[in-house]
Every structure is written in C-alpha cells, then in structure tokens.
Amino acid sequence: MMIDFLQSLVDGVLVGTTYSLIGIGFTLIFGVMHKINLSYASASVGGAYCGLLLVGAAGGKSALLVFLMAAAAAGVIGYVVYLTCFRFIPASHPLGTLMSTVGMLLLIDEIVVHATFGVPVAYPPLYEGPSIELGELYIRPDYLMVFAVGIAAMTVLTLLLYRSRLGLATRAVSQQPVAAQLCGIALYRVNAATFVVTGVLGGIAGAMIGASVGMLSPLLVLPLTVKGLIVTVIGGLGSIPGAIVAGLMVGGFENVLQYYRGVTERDLYVMLLLFVFLVFRPGGLFAAKSERN
Amino acid sequence: MLEVKDLAKHFGGVKAVDGLDLHVRQGEILGLIGPNGSGKSTTVNLVCGVYPATAGTVWLEGQEITPLPMHRRLTAGIARTFQNIRLFGQLTVWQNLWMAQNAPDHVREQGFFARWFGGQARARASAMDYLDFAGLAEKADELASALSFGEQRRLEMARALAAKPRVLLLDEPAAGMSAAEIETLDERIRRLRKGGLTILLIEHHMELVMGIADRIVVLNFGRRIAEGTPAEVQADRAVREAYLGTS
Amino acid sequence: MDFYLALLQVIGIHALIGLSAYVVILTGQVSLAQAGFFAIGAYVAGMLTVLAGWHLIPALLAAGLVAGAVAFLVGFPALRVKGLMLVVATTAFGEAVRLFFFNFDYQVAKGGVRVGPLGGEGFKQIRFFPENGYTTLDVLVFIWVVVGVVMALLWWMDRSRAGAVLRAVGEDELAAQAMGIDLTAVKVAAMTAGGVIAGFGGAIYAHYTTHIEHFNFGIVLATFAIAYPILGGLSTAFGTVVAVLFIQGLLIEGLRFLGDWRNLLFGALIVLAMNLRPHGLLDAATTLRLRRLFGRGGAGRDA
Ligand SMILES: Nc1ncnc2c1ncn2[C@@H]1O[C@H](COP(=O)(O)OP(=O)(O)OP(=O)(O)O)[C@@H](O)[C@H]1O
Ligand SMILES: [Mg+2]
C-alpha cells in the first residue's frame, strides 16, 4: 500500500517538472507584461513538434538534437506571439490581447493538426535504460532524465534572471516599466526577449512531455494550459520558486489521486486543490509582495 | 461637519498619514496643502474608505462613518474627485454623472424600478444641471474619453456634484489647467460655497488655495504642521521650512 | 435548406452562451465559468424532461434558475480575485463542473430502457422535440424566441441605468465605488444573470442535440463564450450576436470550402481582428456614431 503511494508520488513529482516549466513561463510573462498569454502551452507543444519535424526532415534521429531544435523553434514561436498579440495592441486593451492569444492558441494547434493529420506522433525518449531500484521503489530513467533536464533549465533561467544584464532589465521592467524606460532600457526589446526566453523554456517542457509520454498529440495542449495556469496561481503570481514547487506538487498530487481514484476523477481533485488555495492562501505558496498602485 | 481624529495609515514602513486631526466646518472651504508625498491624497482616500485606516476615526455630522464601505460613504454625503482623473471613459459625459446619482434623494425621487430599469429622462435632466454648471452641457453625449484634459477635470467635479454631497473633497482640481481655466475654477468653487457646500480642497496651486480657502491645514510627513487663515499659514516658519526642504 | 436551418440553430445557441458571457464581462470579469453554467442548464433541463417528464418550457426555466443560483454562489468568491486569477479560478470551476458530470450517473428505468446521465457515456435520448413532433423549423423558432426574449431584455438593460452601472464597474471599480455603486451587488447580479442565460442556452442545447456528453462543455466552449463579446465589442448586446454570426456563420460555415485550411484561417483572423479593433467590432465610439446616424441617443440635451 505504502509503496504504491510512494511510487505514484515519485513518478508524479518527476513528471511534474514539466508543469513547473509551463508555470514558470506563464508567471514570467505575467510578471513582465501583466497579461496572460493563453497560447503559451500550445506554443510549447508546437515547438516540440517543430523539433521533431526539423530533425526528422534532416534525417537525424538524435533525441538530444530534437530537444535542442524544439527549444529553438519554440523560442521563435514565442517571438511571433509577442509580435502578433502584444506588440501592437495597446496596453489599455487587455481583452484584445487576451483574445488574440486565444486566436494564436487555435492557430498553432491547427497548424500542428494540419501538419500531422491529427495523428499522435512518437517522440524519442531522452534516455533509455533499466529502471533504478531504490528498495521496492522503481525510478524510471526517462522520468529521471526529464526531471534532471527540467532542473537544469530552471537553474539556467535563474542564473539568466539574476546574473545577466538581460535579467536585470527584465526585473526592472516588471517592477517599474516607466522608470526602467527612463533608465534607457528598451522596453520592447526586453519584452520580446522575455517571450523568446519563456518560449525556449516552453519548448523544452513540450519536448519533455513528449519524451515522458512517448508521443505528442494536440490533445495535450488544453490540459497543459489549464495545469500550467493552476500551477501559476498555486505558486503565487509572478513567483518562479512558487511555480517550481507548485508544479512538482500538482504533478505528485494528481498522480497519487489517479492511482486511488482513477483517471476520470483525478482532475476534479486538482481543481479542488486550487479552490482550497484560492480560499485559504489566495496569494499562493510564495505570495509576492502586494503591489502599490 | 467632517471630522477626523487621530487618523493614521501606514504602508509597510511608510507612514503616509500619522495621527492626523482635521475638522472641516459646515459651509467652509478648508485648504489642505503640503509638499509632494505628505499624505494629502491618502487622507482623502481614508475619508472615502478606499482602504481601511491603520488607526483613527472619521465622523460626518457627528455620525461615525469609519466602519462604512466606500459606496456607503457617498450615500452618507461625501463625494470626491481623483487627482489622477478616473472617469468612465466608455460612457458618455452625462452617463458619468448618472452613475453618481446614488444619494438617498435620488433613490426616493426616482423609485427603485424606474431608477434601474426605467427611462433616462429624469436622471438626465438632473445631470444636465451640473453639466451646465461645469460648462459641459454641449458635450453631454460625447464619450468621456474624448474630452480634453481640462474638460475631464471639470467632468470629475460635475460627477462628484451630481451625487448631491454635503461634503466635497477636491484632490488637486487645478492640476494641469491653464491660468484661464483656473480662474473659472476659482469662481465655480466660490459659487459652491455660496450654495452651502462644505469643501475640502487639496491644491498645489498656492494662489488658488490662498485666495479662496477660509482656513488652511498644512501637512508634512503625514502630520499637521500648521493650521490657520491663509495669512497665518503663509507667515508660519515651519511651513516655509517644509516647502523649502530645510528642516 | 435544412443546412441553413441547422446553422441558424447553432447560431442561436451560441448567441445565448455569448450573451451570458457578455453580461459578466461588462463588469470587467473575464469568466470562463459560462460553459459550466451551460452544462448545469443542459443536465438539469434534460433530467427534468426525460426523467421527470416535464414540458420543456418549465424545464428551461428551472434550468435557468438552477444555473443562476450556482452562478450567484460563484459570484461571491469570484469577487475576491481579479484578472488572471479570475480566469484561472473560473476555468477551474468550469472544469470541475464538467468533471462532475463526467462522473455523474443517475439512471432510471423508463418503459423498459434505462435513461439518464451515465458518466463518460453521457446523457442520451433527450427526445422532447422529436417525441412532441417538432420539426427542424419548429425547433429553430423555439430557439430564436428564447434568444429574442433574452436580447430584448439585454437591449433594455443596455439603455437603462443597469447597463451603464455594469460598464462603469467594468471600467473602474474604484471610481464606481467612490460614486456610490455597490460593487458586490453589481458583480454578483451580473454573474447571476449570466448564469441564468447560460442555463437557458444549455437547456436548449441538450434538447437540440438529444445527446450530451461532458466534453461538450469544456474549455473550448468557455473560450468561445468570452470570444463573442470581446470580438463583438462591449457597447451593445448586438455586438455579441454579430460576432456569433461572424464566427459560426462566416468563419466556420462560410469557409468550409477551404477544407482543412479553414481552421488555420480561423485563429489567424481572430488575431488580426484584435490587432485591428482591440475594442471589438462595435466599440463605444462606433455605436455612438451608429446611434447618431439613426437619430437616437445623440438627440441633444432635451432627449
Ligand atoms: N497604495 C500605497 N502603497 C504604498 N505607499 C503609498 C500608497 N499610497 C501612497 N503611498 C505613499 O504615501 C505617501 C503619501 O502619499 P500621498 O499620495 O498621500 O501624497 P500626496 O500628499 O497626495 O502627494 P502629491 O502632492 O504628490 O499628490 C507617499 O510617500 C506615497 O509614496
Ligand atoms: Mg496626492
């Protein structure tokens, strides 16, 4: 009994890194733009597809290459999303931006369906090998690899945000857009860069999902969007550590409930978990300091 | 009329208002001045209930209103304008005034059903009086967002008046206005006082406040540093120091 | 011919869900819960006609009431969150409702067959229309009478204080409160009205398709619901209906000859539309101009 619980918890937490990455993407864009980019998860999955197609077209087979191309392609998609949904719609029209990101979600989704004839495609695992046994606990190597890549991506992102000039500018823009501009920071460039960086992150997440499920399907997009948003809120809007912890938490939670209550009821409990947070801890795990207006 | 006792508001470490006593007497214009960031707008926000006070109480005509939510303070008789104009831009000019018609008088006059679901004729007629007063009658059917800056400031004031308040709080009504506009503003405020309205006037434009205020209270760092007639306040050393920054 | 009748039926149903989101979004609340209210309406009405043997009209009213009551309850916690948090919370609510029906069984034997909702298999045989001999045209008329009543009420609301108050709250909550508007009352009322309208829509939808399943009520429907008023513009309820015609009629049906490419164009056109008209098709300025053109609203000070 106990071991089953632990097993599903561990599997869930390992795969939960993908939720963390998607959550970070939502949170970062929200932090900088104060708007939601609903197309984010679809761009991530779209990037993962592109990676596969590009490498496949070149006759390559390397899973690593697929990962890298997925990240690069998703970065480009991120920039396109910035141009089409954020750059030219005035900040005073948040609904316009919201709706165009929905349009983008549909567009990317449809391009994928169009390119793959709606059939799921196999995705190469990052690593294959025997399971690692820890007592009675089995750790799947591909899951472990997913976890490792996720942690590596988050570490690089944190370094980028806190150690580089771009990171400094991003944080300045997210806190004081006007003052940042006065300091000579090119607002549009920083915003665009944020979209590219979060896009790359999303591409990695998309490829990781493909690798851990073994295939990629457009059907993944909506659940991923919802889970990513939930992770963002549970973690606390704008909080990267919050998104990381919440992603792992939601991953573990849903896998355990799937084990006990079955796949049809699983998501119902995830929603309830969100409501519990909204009622008892509306600021999320790591509530950001309240803003002044 | 409007009385504030020991009012305080702290934002984290910032003591925006810190133990303030104020008394606006029936029918007078009380000027509230002070350097930038001295807590004037915060005082208005506290009186209107935008956020709860850290400490202190607010009375209107002897009734304590501190526990009332924001919208009930308007119906109690306090209306305000905003320093950084906050009109309903997608509504027309007269509709902006319509939104403020929430005083018990309006409700009684119009009756619940007619008020919410009836025609606009009555509400509009009442709004037009204030638009005339503010010189915006011809613009009644424009979108508020289409007005010029000066017109928007006047609309802010007309909207507050449309609520038929007993106390009017004006937060820098002259900011950004031309000299000519300020002159008509001055004249309008005088007419309001003549009509018996009690006014708390926050203003950086010294000529305007010193000219029309009956009394003046000077704030610095959320505390009252001086109070008196315009002449007394102008002569006050502490006031000069606060403004010149020598302490 | 039948093709067009069917299309008009779909448009009517989507108009209802769009209008339900319209009322709520006027107050600045982007609610993705409308599909949930729609689902509640569908299941309640279906169960009342199929299991309890009610006529559709009382069942429709009951569906509106139940969905409205749920929306009323949702309205209070929804007050506490804004922006992205509200989007996520309402999405989660809608999903929770959908997942509830995914797991909801309530079957009884009727004339030898078991009828009623059956979890993942859905709720089949909601046959009020065929059993009572309604033709496609009759159903169409029924749908549009309901749409017409709702539209008339909303048109009236838009011209009354109620509509202006909703917009004032949507534009600036703080200023609205400072002008004496009770935020709680207005937002909860809007959410309740949206719930009632969505409940009507769901009730009709259940009887129009005769077979409902949980995935009919997912995020896609919720997204369409808010897409209509946003694309149509928030200055009049007609904008929402125009947007439904535009999306369901023109984009989805009109472009069918494009085959697969239609869906591609669909998303791209939404992006384009929002870049060109970020306030929607019929924004306040346009509506005002139209009203002037037709000699209403701008009639000067003695209007
Ligand atoms: N919501 C808030 N959160 C944090 N600090 C605030 C907030 N509102 C005001 N403050 C701080 O409180 C102090 C007083 O601000 P307030 O706006 O009341 O000043 P003011 O006298 O109106 O200044 P001004 O003449 O510039 O309008 C300032 O230091 C300001 O930074
Ligand atoms: Mg101020």
Side-chain angles (χ1 to χ4, degrees), chain A residues 36 84 89 93 95-96 99-100 102-103 106-107 110-111 114 222 226 237 264-265 267-268 274-275 278-279 282, chain C residues 30 80 84-85 88-89 92-93 96 99 102-103 219-220 223 227 260-261 263-264 266-267 270-271 274-275 278-279:
Chain A
I36 328 173
T84 50
I89 297 180
H93 298 45
L95 289 180
M99 205 62 240
S100 58
V102 169
L106 297 174
L107 180 63
E110 281 306 325
I111 292 176
H114 198 81
L222 281 182
V226 175
L237 275 189
T264 61
E265 278 184 37
D267 287 353
L268 193 51
L274 173 74
F275 294 139
L278 284 177
V279 172
Chain C
V30 179
R80 292 164 45 118
L84 179 121
M85 299 279 276
V88 178
F93 169 80
L99 291 162
F102 189 20
N103 292 286
I219 303 167
V220 176
T223 312
D260 246 11
W261 295 97
N263 292 343
L264 289 177
F266 183 63
I270 290 183
V271 174
M274 288 336 289
N275 273 279
H279 260 312

Side-chain angles (χ1 to χ4, degrees), chain A residues 221-246:
Chain A
V221 167
L222 281 182
L224 197 59
T225 305
V226 175
K227 295 278 163 60
L229 287 171
I230 288 177
V231 164
T232 310
V233 169
I234 290 183
L237 275 189
S239 162
I240 293 178
I244 296 174
V245 175

Side-chain angles (χ1 to χ4, degrees), chain A residues 85-285:
Chain A
C85 305
F86 291 83
R87 176 67 175 85
F88 300 106
I89 297 180
S92 54
H93 298 45
L95 289 180
T97 302
L98 179 77
M99 205 62 240
S100 58
T101 63
V102 169
M104 220 42 205
L105 186 161
L106 297 174
L107 180 63
I108 296 171
D109 220 32
E110 281 306 325
I111 292 176
V112 168
V113 171
H114 198 81
T116 62
F117 309 101
V119 184
V121 294
Y123 215 82
L126 250 191
Y127 174 77
E128 278 168 307
S131 287
I132 303 162
E133 286 176 48
L134 282 179
E136 291 179 66
L137 212 59
Y138 287 87
I139 310 238
R140 281 179 49 176
D142 49 342
Y143 282 10
L144 197 62
M145 202 63 201
V146 160
F147 185 73
V149 172
I151 298 296
M154 290 173 207
T155 314
V156 171
L157 177 80
T158 314
L159 288 179
L160 196 65
L161 269 183
Y162 289 93
R163 289 284 142 74
S164 74
R165 262 194 68 80
L166 172 68
L168 186 68
T170 310
R171 283 182 293 137
V173 168
S174 74
Q175 281 156 20
Q176 290 285 342
V178 179
Q181 262 178 306
L182 292 178
C183 296
I185 294 175
L187 190 62
Y188 293 130
R189 286 240 296 278
V190 171
N191 289 348
T194 309
F195 274 83
V196 173
V197 169
T198 53
V200 168
L201 209 62
I204 295 174
M208 280 164 51
I209 291 165
S212 61
V213 183
M215 53 139 211
L216 215 48
S217 147
L219 291 177
L220 289 169
V221 167
L222 281 182
L224 197 59
T225 305
V226 175
K227 295 278 163 60
L229 287 171
I230 288 177
V231 164
T232 310
V233 169
I234 290 183
L237 275 189
S239 162
I240 293 178
I244 296 174
V245 175
L248 302 180
M249 192 173 107
V250 168
F253 181 82
E254 74 167 21
N255 214 40
V256 168
L257 276 150
Q258 173 166 345
Y259 176 74
Y260 285 107
R261 305 292 313 172
V263 73
T264 61
E265 278 184 37
R266 175 191 81 185
D267 287 353
L268 193 51
Y269 296 103
V270 177
M271 305 303 155
L272 292 179
L273 179 70
L274 173 74
F275 294 139
V276 168
F277 265 89
L278 284 177
V279 172
F280 294 105
R281 215 177 152 77
L285 284 171

Side-chain angles (χ1 to χ4, degrees), chain B residues 50 70-71 74 80 82 86-92 98-102 113 115-118 120 124 128 132 137 141-143 159, chain C residues 156 159-162 164-165 167-168 171-172 174-183 279 284-285 288 292 297-301 303:
Chain B
V50 172
M70 213 192 315
H71 66 275
L74 181 114
R80 69 172 293 179
F82 290 92
R86 301 184 79 140
L87 294 168
F88 306 121
Q90 297 291 304
L91 298 186
T92 61
W98 195 14
M99 293 302 95
Q101 297 178 349
N102 290 305
F113 190 78
R115 179 173 141 77
W116 282 98
F117 303 105
Q120 311 172 348
R124 189 181 164 103
M128 287 316 289
D132 270 332
D141 291 301
E142 307 265 324
L143 286 186
R159 181 176 68 173
Chain C
W156 181 26
R159 295 175 47 86
S160 70
R161 178 182 174 79
V165 165
R167 288 180 173 79
E171 200 153 345
D172 190 334
L174 181 69
Q177 282 173 286
M179 292 307 126
I181 292 170
D182 184 347
L183 200 65
H279 260 312
L288 207 61
R292 294 230 173 101
R301 33 182 326 186

Side-chain angles (χ1 to χ4, degrees), chain B residues 167-187:
Chain B
V167 180
L168 178 65
L169 313 180
L170 296 173
D171 197 349
E172 303 201 14
M177 281 190 161
S178 70
E181 284 174 322
I182 291 177
E183 210 162 294
T184 43
L185 175 70
D186 182 302
E187 184 236 337

